[in-house]
Amino acid sequence: MSIENHSLAAELPEFKDQIHNLKMNDNHFRNLHEKYNDVEHEIHRIEVGAENTSDDYLHERKKQRLLLKDELLAIIKKSQ
């Protein structure tokens, strides 16, 4: 199984510059981005077998990642 890169920059490459600017200038965005990265890192560790957990837990973490991504995208679009 190949593990995909779900970093925010990989997920939203068309907003790379805006993501960088918001991380530098918006504390709320920066905090959400850090949470997103933490969840993504945890999911990655589970998927590569470095951590063991239930399928339900992994599913919940993936839902959390998606919610964070949606919130971050809303901030990006509002900043345009």
Side-chain angles (χ1 to χ4, degrees):
M1 167 170 78
S2 88
I3 306 299
E4 294 181 36
N5 178 2
H6 288 280
S7 70
L8 197 60
E11 290 285 304
L12 304 169
E14 66 275 23
F15 298 114
K16 182 181 176 185
D17 291 337
Q18 283 179 271
I19 291 169
H20 175 74
N21 288 334
L22 285 165
K23 284 191 314 185
M24 297 293 111
N25 300 305
D26 183 320
N27 288 334
H28 179 64
F29 185 89
R30 182 176 34 255
N31 290 335
L32 288 175
H33 188 266
E34 287 174 8
K35 287 179 187 177
Y36 179 90
N37 284 339
D38 290 345
V39 172
E40 169 54 25
H41 181 72
E42 182 181 12
I43 291 168
H44 178 76
R45 289 185 50 78
I46 293 167
E47 290 180 336
V48 299
E51 294 181 21
N52 292 320
T53 187
S54 69
D55 289 342
D56 288 340
Y57 181 80
L58 178 58
H59 181 71
E60 287 302 315
R61 298 311 286 164
K62 286 182 176 184
K63 284 191 338 189
Q64 180 66 35
R65 178 179 64 193
L66 184 58
L67 290 172
L68 287 165
K69 178 182 165 187
D70 288 346
E71 191 171 352
L72 289 162
L73 182 57
I75 294 170
I76 291 167
K77 287 185 174 182
K78 186 178 176 183
S79 75
Q80 289 182 319

